[in-house]
Amino acid sequence: MALVLSLRVSFSAAETRHKASTKPLKFAKRTREPKTPIYNPRKGSHKPSSKTQKLNSEVSPHRAVSAVRLMRIELGGAFADLLNEKGKGSGDNEMGYVERTLGFRTRELDDRDLRLVTDIVGGTIRWRRFLDYLICSICHDESTFRRMEPLLLQILRIGFYEIVKLDMPQYAVVDENVRLAKVALRPGAGNLVNGILRKLVLLKENNSLPLPKVEGDERAQARTLAILYSHPVWMVRRWTKYVGQEEAIRLMTWNNSDPSFSLRANSGKGVSRADLVMQLNLLKVPHELSLHLDDFVRIKTGLQVVITAGLLKDGLCSVQDESAGMVVSVVDPQPGERIIDCCAAPGGKTLYMASQLSGQGMVSAIDLNEGRLRIVKETAKLHQVDSVITTIHADLRTFAEKNPVKGDKVLLDAPCSGLGVLSKRADLRWNRKLEDIEQLKNLQDELFNAASVLVKPGGVLIYSTCSIDPEENEERVAAFLLRHPEFSMDPVDRYVPPDFVTERGFYLSDPVKHSLDGAFAARLVRDL
């Protein structure tokens, strides 16, 4: 299953949207329409220099790709992860974006370059607030930062990240980012990058980076922590409120760490975990067996190797976090049952549930997005579980009103803030707002009500999210039970390990405690 949805963007249009929609950081406010761009170029120099060859082998390919990809993410909303099922082919796709944006290609990306792009893009996005604070501090003049061209800013962010967080050879980083700025922009931009990065190197060598101190009242401390750990202030304040400052820092540290991934052996196609392990050994991909689920293997590195080798394309396994796998454990699919998956796409839980039916029963996958449902259907064929999956293109709320269908078990994996998956979704922290929680709560309640209509007497309703926020989880269940006294709690302790069971009988995976994505599930039984 693809990890990335390709996004074609027009940078001229994207820059216009960026100017109209970007919310500037408080410590370095960037105007929406700068009066004059910094380092005002000579006429015509916005385009690549006529001296620039179409193939420029001197420019570091992973830095060129990273800079353009960061532009696409910030201006156009592209996803942060480079990995996809095409494996090495994705490098050529990315180089195509470089050529269309900068006017030249570099040498082709090899496997090491692809890994570096993934590391640099993900890390630069995670640490964006922190990096911007350092850039602004070293520039001294906020107007310098505020008026930087988007590409120039991305090149600086990459250089700062490589020097401060990756400990790469410092002057090589300076030289290569200067070269990229000169070729992609103009000599003056390269001189600026050179001066700023060399000053950063000196500050780092002298252990004197201009870092803010955590002091003052709660608001002031939250603002400082938001810089030091590179999260939105509202998230810091919210987590501090619920779990305390110390635990909030641990959570942000987890979100900023390199993510690990889990692979699920496709038992529906007859692939056992032992078969998957044998394939990983042949590919020399380090791995660990899941401590919680029999079909799962965890890997820290080597996912690109797995993709390139075709293990996903051939349907031997899927990328799925163990936290999501345990939601399926809470559902407890049994052969012969009719299971309704209410918000099914992209289909990871749908496929896992179907694989456990042994060809008997049915999973009805409902989703509003027809294109994503088509992918579910295609992947079901690949995984050889299509005989027990039916896709239904519908809005759950209207479908439940008009259809008498009832399920033995109904899973509502509700749209949510995604606050439990920020380690994998590096860009999500900057795309979420506090107001989103309120809007999502209303939607979650509507979908919860609709899903309950589809549960037969004596049947089970499972509500789940990939959030760790109580207002999206426990509070939604409590509000639902007040509205629907015909349902009662069924504790999940029979379905998942005790360490994942809360005092109130819910399933909760805690990123810090369990080193997994954050996820929640409640199991509710309808009266006979």
Side-chain angles (χ1 to χ4, degrees):
M1 187 177 298
L3 297 181
V4 179
L5 296 176
S6 297
L7 181 63
R8 296 178 176 86
V9 297
S10 165
F11 277 99
S12 58
E15 286 196 46
T16 302
R17 291 196 301 272
H18 176 67
K19 290 178 182 177
S21 63
T22 299
K23 289 197 172 181
L25 301 175
K26 287 187 176 180
F27 58 78
K29 189 171 182 180
R30 302 184 73 198
T31 58
R32 294 182 179 180
E33 295 183 359
K35 294 179 180 178
T36 54
I38 189 164
Y39 302 102
N40 193 23
R42 299 183 304 276
K43 184 178 180 180
S45 63
H46 275 298
K47 298 179 180 179
S49 168
S50 59
K51 294 181 180 179
T52 301
Q53 299 298 314
K54 193 171 183 181
L55 176 63
N56 193 313
S57 59
E58 295 182 356
V59 173
S60 168
H62 75 263
R63 289 185 176 88
V65 168
S66 296
V68 171
R69 188 158 187 82
L70 287 166
M71 290 264 288
R72 292 174 57 214
I73 292 165
E74 186 164 347
L75 304 183
F79 190 67
D81 201 331
L82 179 66
L83 298 174
N84 62 35
E85 285 191 10
K86 294 182 180 179
K88 291 182 179 178
S90 65
D92 187 60
N93 294 340
E94 294 297 317
M95 194 56 69
Y97 282 114
V98 169
E99 185 172 21
R100 290 191 292 274
T101 307
L102 305 183
F104 63 86
R105 297 176 72 93
T106 73
R107 67 169 174 80
E108 295 303 315
L109 282 78
D110 57 25
D111 288 343
R112 178 180 176 276
D113 291 323
L114 285 169
R115 288 193 297 271
L116 282 169
V117 170
T118 301
D119 291 345
I120 289 171
V121 170
T124 301
I125 292 171
R126 289 186 189 96
W127 289 101
R128 190 177 80 188
R129 189 180 185 91
F130 175 73
L131 299 174
D132 285 358
Y133 177 87
L134 290 179
I135 294 169
C136 187
S137 298
I138 289 177
C139 288
H140 293 302
D141 178 11
E142 279 194 12
S143 64
T144 301
F145 179 87
R146 185 170 60 242
R147 292 162 49 203
M148 278 182 188
E149 298 154 275
L151 178 58
L152 178 59
L153 179 57
Q154 302 304 346
I155 293 171
L156 281 172
R157 284 172 174 166
I158 290 170
F160 271 60
Y161 177 69
E162 290 177 318
I163 291 169
V164 176
K165 293 297 181 181
L166 290 186
D167 289 324
M168 296 178 75
Q170 296 175 343
Y171 288 100
V173 170
V174 174
D175 290 344
E176 293 199 20
N177 281 290
V178 167
R179 187 178 299 117
L180 174 59
K182 285 183 176 180
V183 173
L185 290 166
R186 60 200 161 276
N191 294 338
L192 173 67
V193 171
N194 183 61
I196 293 176
L197 290 185
R198 285 183 179 275
K199 188 166 185 179
L200 173 67
V201 169
L202 289 174
L203 290 170
K204 187 170 186 291
E205 287 176 345
N206 295 329
N207 197 27
S208 56
L209 291 176
L211 303 178
K213 294 182 179 180
V214 182
E215 56 189 10
D217 60 17
E218 290 182 3
R219 286 176 178 268
Q221 290 187 35
R223 286 194 295 270
T224 301
L225 290 172
I227 293 169
L228 292 175
Y229 294 94
S230 197
H231 279 69
V233 176
W234 73 265
M235 286 187 190
V236 180
R237 297 195 67 193
R238 194 171 185 85
W239 292 334
T240 300
K241 169 188 171 183
Y242 282 122
V243 299
Q245 188 179 103
E246 192 173 314
E247 197 64 22
I249 290 173
R250 289 196 185 99
L251 178 56
M252 289 187 287
T253 301
W254 165 262
N255 291 340
N256 288 333
S257 63
D258 293 332
S260 61
F261 295 89
S262 294
L263 301 175
R264 175 178 64 81
N266 182 12
S267 58
K269 198 172 183 175
V271 180
S272 68
R273 182 164 71 175
D275 296 329
L276 178 57
V277 166
M278 182 177 69
Q279 291 293 327
L280 294 176
N281 285 335
L282 290 172
L283 295 172
K284 298 182 180 180
V285 173
H287 57 274
E288 297 176 356
L289 300 183
S290 167
L291 299 175
H292 317 296
L293 295 164
D294 293 339
D295 292 332
F296 284 71
V297 175
R298 191 183 299 194
I299 62 175
K300 189 73 175 177
T301 61
L303 183 56
Q304 184 69 57
V305 176
V306 170
I307 295 169
T308 304
L311 270 60
L312 302 184
K313 186 178 180 181
D314 295 338
L316 302 180
C317 63
S318 296
V319 178
Q320 187 170 37
D321 197 79
E322 293 161 76
S323 61
M326 278 188 278
V327 171
V328 174
S329 296
V330 173
V331 177
D332 188 33
Q334 297 296 321
E337 291 181 333
R338 172 152 199 181
I339 301 172
I340 301 175
D341 191 352
C342 292
C343 297
K349 297 181 182 70
T350 308
L351 296 167
Y352 189 22
M353 290 188 293
S355 73
Q356 297 190 357
L357 294 183
S358 301
Q360 304 170 48
M362 181 60 62
V363 179
S364 298
I366 304 173
D367 203 90
L368 188 58
N369 190 312
E370 190 172 12
R372 283 156 65 91
L373 265 184
R374 194 178 303 116
I375 294 173
V376 174
K377 197 169 185 177
E378 292 170 357
T379 311
K381 289 182 181 178
L382 179 66
H383 285 213
Q384 297 180 2
V385 293
D386 52 308
S387 63
V388 292
I389 292 180
T390 300
T391 58
I392 302 171
H393 175 226
D395 185 321
L396 174 65
R397 292 165 291 188
T398 56
F399 178 84
E401 290 176 3
K402 299 177 181 179
N403 290 274
V405 61
K406 301 289 182 183
D408 298 291
K409 289 166 182 171
V410 175
L411 170 63
L412 173 60
D413 189 31
C416 68
S417 64
L419 294 183
V421 297
L422 295 183
S423 69
K424 288 188 175 70
R425 286 294 309 273
D427 54 333
L428 190 58
R429 71 184 71 180
W430 309 121
N431 296 332
R432 280 282 176 251
K433 304 179 182 66
L434 181 58
E435 309 88 78
D436 294 342
I437 302 285
E438 288 302 318
Q439 294 176 7
L440 284 165
K441 282 161 53 178
N442 294 331
L443 177 60
Q444 289 156 0
D445 287 344
E446 291 175 5
L447 295 173
F448 216 159
N449 291 337
S452 69
V453 176
L454 303 177
V455 183
K456 75 175 189 181
V460 180
L461 173 60
I462 298 90
Y463 172 82
S464 70
T465 73
C466 58
S467 176
I468 54 174
D469 195 286
E471 290 189 20
E472 296 186 88
N473 296 337
E474 294 91 339
E475 292 186 22
R476 299 279 56 75
V477 175
F480 173 82
L481 290 174
L482 287 176
R483 297 193 304 272
H484 295 272
E486 71 274 21
F487 282 87
S488 58
M489 276 286 300
D490 182 19
V492 302
D493 53 352
R494 290 177 293 164
Y495 308 101
V496 295
D499 199 37
F500 293 89
V501 182
T502 70
E503 291 182 0
R504 297 173 61 187
F506 300 125
Y507 158 71
L508 181 69
S509 62
D510 182 306
V512 175
K513 181 179 180 182
H514 301 120
S515 297
L516 299 174
D517 285 348
F520 170 88
R523 188 178 163 100
L524 311 172
V525 177
R526 185 170 197 156
D527 294 343
L528 290 169

